[in-house]
Amino acid sequence: MEKITLTVKGMTCMGCVKSVRNVLESIPGVANVDIILDNGQTTISYDAAKTGPNQFTAAIQDAGYEVVGNG
């Protein structure tokens, strides 16, 4: 299992957090999503054989949010 942390901008409430979590959890291979609303830190645990950061960024952007960094 791999893990990546992305910073997501544009989330202002727990509804936003739920939206981002839902789009990420719908991606095959994603095992867990942890989001901290205050700083936008989004940690994703995933199976690298099934998915990866490009899919996460695309899903977040499609949901109307911005990915500003990863680490």
Side-chain angles (χ1 to χ4, degrees), residues 4-47:
I4 188 170
T5 300
L6 305 173
T7 301
V8 179
K9 287 186 89 171
M11 294 187 295
T12 58
C13 64
M14 291 309 292
C16 297
V17 169
K18 185 176 180 181
S19 294
V20 171
R21 179 177 285 118
N22 286 343
V23 298
L24 291 170
E25 288 179 342
S26 71
I27 299 170
V30 172
N32 189 48
V33 177
D34 290 314
I35 301 173
I36 300 172
L37 176 60
D38 292 342
N39 61 11
Q41 184 176 336
T42 303
T43 303
I44 307 158
S45 298
Y46 63 98
D47 180 345

